[in-house]
Amino acid sequence: MKFIEFIPIYKERVWGGHRLHDSLNRTLPDNRKYGESWDIVDRSDDQSIVKDGPWKGLSLRNLLQEQSHFIMGPKWPKDKPFPILVKWLDCQERLSIQVHPPKQLQKELKGESKTENWYIAEALPESAVFAGIQKSITPEIFQRALEAENLETHLHHIPTTKGDSLFIPSGRLHAIAEGNLILEIQENSDTTYRVYDWGRLGLDGKFRELHIKESLLSIDFNDIKPSKIPASSENAILADCPEFRIQKICLHAPMELKAHQEPRILSIVDGFLKITDAENSVLLNKGTNILLPFCEHFILEASKNCTILIVDHFIQC
């Protein structure tokens, strides 16, 4: 097959659990609490490795250097990193209240902007996320809420159910509450400024670092009450921003993805998918994230119920 699947990189997190095994049928390295699986990543410290096929064992970085025109198209510079990071999040406990720097401040703050989208693959009955500010507040009010340890009361509380989606642009204050299994599709960035961490200790037994100064500079204090795209939206554009577009498709009939248009990322968020190229067909299960090269043609068919996300429009980044 000419689609590209990579070996997941698992990240232990203080808020993680074992849902990557239980819900996605992944084989985890051991019994520690894994909160993240980085499925597609091209960073100096983390490199996706091709799982199978003619490029088995190659890193994503080396693959793009050798096959950039085939995978990304003729206009893609072979030394330019892959612009998207795809990861699963197992939120056994709530994550910190945090923010990512906007593009106009990333150089000043020596970080990277990070616009992302959350797709809720599973949620417990009381699961929720926090995103945006309940009403316009000043940095001074914000700091007083931090000192009083009631910052979450100033955030928009959004209950989550399976199939919901929420867009998180850089500058939007946010946190994920416990019980969510999330597919996060984001810019290729790893800059997070923690504002508040619920007073818990990290994996090393120490309080995790907070970034109050950087956060106050990054937060959009006019970002009030963002809305989610509900699970009832069977076919929808979940995100359409300069960094990427994400389409949600509940697949009921065969779908053709033609060659020589653009590279795509395909994510199976529910059910099973049969994917066919010019040579053969393969059945893929929920939780799979694959890269579809620019030069390849594919037919997608649902095996039972199947919901997929297609990420495209990222080669202009």
Side-chain angles (χ1 to χ4, degrees):
M1 292 296 292
K2 291 295 186 179
F3 68 78
I4 305 166
E5 186 176 3
F6 300 95
I7 299 170
I9 301 172
Y10 295 110
K11 303 279 188 176
E12 186 182 9
R13 296 290 185 251
V14 68
W15 41 263
H18 303 98
R19 218 167 178 181
L20 297 172
H21 169 270
D22 299 340
S23 296
L24 302 183
N25 200 30
R26 300 282 186 91
T27 300
L28 299 177
D30 49 47
N31 201 39
R32 290 181 293 173
K33 297 193 297 184
Y34 288 97
E36 300 188 23
S37 173
W38 291 21
D39 286 9
I40 301 177
V41 57
D42 180 8
R43 297 187 63 79
S44 58
D45 294 336
D46 291 286
Q47 275 294 312
S48 287
I49 303 298
V50 179
K51 182 178 178 181
D52 291 305
W55 302 306
K56 180 179 179 179
L58 273 184
S59 68
L60 178 52
R61 177 90 310 273
N62 289 338
L63 181 62
L64 292 187
Q65 288 173 339
E66 294 183 12
Q67 304 287 339
S68 63
H69 288 189
F70 180 82
I71 294 168
M72 302 296 282
K75 297 181 180 180
W76 189 262
K78 67 177 183 178
D79 293 323
K80 186 175 182 179
F82 192 73
I84 303 297
L85 199 163
V86 179
K87 63 172 73 166
W88 283 100
L89 305 177
D90 173 11
C91 309
Q92 185 72 19
E93 299 177 12
R94 58 178 54 184
L95 280 64
S96 63
I97 299 177
Q98 58 188 246
V99 68
H100 310 298
K103 276 188 168 55
Q104 66 269 22
L105 291 176
Q106 59 183 354
K107 289 184 179 179
E108 176 185 341
L109 296 175
K110 298 180 181 178
E112 300 169 303
S113 64
K114 183 181 173 185
T115 287
E116 60 196 32
N117 192 85
W118 299 336
Y119 182 85
I120 314 298
E122 293 181 3
L124 298 180
E126 301 301 320
S127 293
V129 296
F130 300 94
I133 298 170
Q134 280 282 10
K135 59 182 180 179
S136 185
I137 61 173
T138 65
E140 292 73 23
I141 294 174
F142 181 88
Q143 287 186 304
R144 288 200 295 271
L146 265 181
E147 293 167 3
E149 298 187 350
N150 63 359
L151 181 59
E152 68 271 21
T153 63
H154 292 282
L155 297 180
H156 189 41
H157 180 269
I158 305 172
T160 54
T161 58
K162 177 182 176 180
D164 289 346
S165 182
L166 189 68
F167 181 62
I168 305 291
S170 289
R172 174 167 288 171
L173 193 63
H174 61 274
I176 303 172
E178 58 272 18
N180 290 294
L181 178 67
I182 291 178
L183 180 65
E184 181 174 293
I185 295 165
Q186 57 160 92
E187 286 183 83
N188 184 357
S189 164
D190 196 27
T191 299
T192 295
Y193 297 142
R194 293 191 198 98
V195 182
Y196 183 66
D197 201 25
W198 317 103
R200 76 179 143 203
L201 302 178
L203 293 168
D204 60 1
K206 301 177 182 178
F207 292 111
R208 296 200 295 172
E209 182 181 5
L210 300 180
H211 313 89
I212 306 302
K213 178 182 176 182
E214 295 88 347
S215 297
L216 287 170
L217 289 171
S218 298
I219 294 168
D220 180 357
F221 284 97
N222 294 312
D223 181 33
I224 300 173
K225 291 192 176 182
S227 59
K228 67 180 181 181
I229 296 177
S232 57
S233 303
E234 276 207 352
N235 298 289
I237 302 296
L238 303 184
D240 193 357
C241 58
E243 294 78 19
F244 50 77
R245 181 179 70 168
I246 304 174
Q247 301 175 74
K248 174 187 174 183
I249 300 169
C250 296
L251 201 60
H252 300 298
M255 177 179 180
E256 182 180 18
L257 297 178
K258 295 182 179 180
H260 301 102
Q261 292 183 334
E262 60 180 318
R264 305 172 179 94
I265 297 167
L266 187 150
S267 302
I268 305 169
V269 292
D270 203 18
F272 295 84
L273 175 76
K274 185 173 78 169
I275 182 169
T276 304
D277 65 7
E279 300 175 355
N280 51 30
S281 298
V282 173
L283 188 65
L284 301 175
N285 62 294
K286 172 184 173 179
T288 303
N289 293 296
I290 55 177
L291 177 57
L292 305 182
F294 171 86
C295 287
E296 283 297 319
H297 174 275
F298 298 96
I299 301 293
L300 310 179
E301 299 175 81
S303 179
K304 301 182 181 178
N305 296 324
C306 183
T307 301
I308 61 174
L309 306 186
I310 295 179
V311 187
D312 56 13
H313 295 189
F314 52 80
I315 60 170
Q316 71 270 25
C317 296

